[in-house]
Amino acid sequence: MKLTPKQQRFVEEYLVDLNATQAALRAGYSEKTARAIGQQNLTKLYIQQEIQKRMNKRSEKTEITAERILEELGAIAFQDVNNVVTIETREEKIRGKLIKEATEEDPAVYEEKMRSYQHVIVKDTSELTPSQRKSIASIKEGKYGIEVKFYDKIRAIELLGKHLSMFTEKVEHSGTVTNQNVDMSALGLEELRKLAKLDE
């Protein structure tokens, strides 16, 4: 089936953020019916096919594939930070309490103490593998030396788990049944006209 101009606009808007309600609003549907129309449009096979066709074209153009996305998530999820940074314990002498006041002949004498501190050593990024570099969000000079920030490992694992259907959620449904997947043969002419107006 050929899409109406409004449906065509819906497809274009849906591809912006994959939000059916917002896409319906931006396509010109009323606020009152946007949510229902958005969901209804996503159940129509010819609209689904158009969305998939557009997404495939976009993937080809940007070279974004499911395989590439999974590769990026895997690099974040399974990266060992020790491949990128090492923490070295260093010691330095610091001045302690005053032992002897200074005189005209001799300077003041202070107790010598040792202080231990941890020093972050970042490997040369040119020596890292592409997979190791993908896990790094940023490297910058911080208050206490070099700071290395990694992408969220837990979030990456969660997204991979969802892709593999490892995490299932219990969904409870409530509310009234809409006209979707309902036998409407018993409805009168006036009732059918009201339902048809939802798609305008």
Side-chain angles (χ1 to χ4, degrees):
M1 286 181 67
K2 189 177 179 182
L3 273 66
T4 66
K6 206 176 247 190
Q7 289 172 335
Q8 191 72 42
R9 178 75 190 278
F10 170 82
V11 170
E12 291 166 3
E13 294 295 341
Y14 181 73
L15 290 170
V16 172
D17 55 10
L18 304 182
N19 184 313
T21 302
Q22 291 303 313
L25 282 169
R26 294 192 297 264
Y29 294 96
S30 70
E31 279 188 40
K32 189 177 178 181
T33 62
R35 189 170 184 273
I37 291 295
Q39 295 305 315
Q40 191 181 79
N41 278 348
L42 292 181
T43 65
K44 294 177 179 175
L45 184 60
Y46 58 97
I47 291 180
Q48 289 176 6
Q49 289 171 338
E50 183 64 21
I51 289 171
Q52 192 58 54
K53 181 177 148 189
R54 296 284 196 94
M55 290 180 97
N56 290 344
K57 276 186 181 177
R58 188 163 66 181
S59 293
E60 286 171 18
K61 188 176 179 181
T62 58
E63 296 183 352
I64 296 172
T65 61
E67 186 180 343
R68 187 173 169 192
I69 290 169
L70 291 173
E71 183 185 318
E72 295 288 321
L73 287 172
I76 296 166
F78 308 119
Q79 190 57 254
D80 182 351
V81 296
N82 293 314
N83 292 330
V84 180
V85 298
T86 54
I87 297 176
E88 185 181 87
T89 301
R90 294 184 177 179
E91 291 191 337
E92 65 176 357
K93 286 182 181 179
I94 58 171
R95 191 166 72 178
K97 65 181 181 180
L98 179 68
I99 295 174
K100 191 181 91 167
E101 296 278 356
T103 64
E104 288 184 10
E105 295 82 21
D106 298 309
V109 178
Y110 294 90
E111 180 185 65
E112 274 194 358
K113 296 173 83 174
M114 297 299 290
R115 177 176 76 93
S116 295
Y117 66 97
Q118 291 184 319
H119 181 73
V120 176
I121 301 169
V122 184
K123 293 185 180 179
D124 188 334
T125 53
S126 65
E127 295 175 6
L128 299 176
T129 65
S131 177
Q132 289 165 346
R133 285 196 294 271
K134 287 172 185 175
S135 67
I136 303 169
S138 66
I139 301 174
K140 64 179 182 179
E141 189 72 39
K143 187 177 179 182
Y144 303 104
I146 298 232
E147 292 180 2
V148 181
K149 183 179 178 183
F150 293 89
Y151 288 110
D152 190 338
K153 193 179 182 82
I154 300 298
R155 179 65 178 150
I157 290 171
E158 182 187 345
L159 290 170
L160 287 172
K162 282 184 177 178
H163 174 75
L164 297 171
S165 302
M166 291 172 66
F167 311 126
T168 55
E169 296 178 4
K170 184 181 177 183
V171 180
E172 292 184 8
H173 297 278
S174 63
T176 57
V177 178
T178 66
N179 62 316
Q180 294 178 19
N181 301 319
V182 175
D183 182 10
M184 293 184 282
S185 60
L187 297 177
L189 185 60
E190 192 58 37
E191 291 169 310
L192 288 171
R193 281 180 180 159
K194 284 180 183 177
L195 287 173
K197 283 185 180 179
L198 286 175
D199 201 21
E200 291 178 357

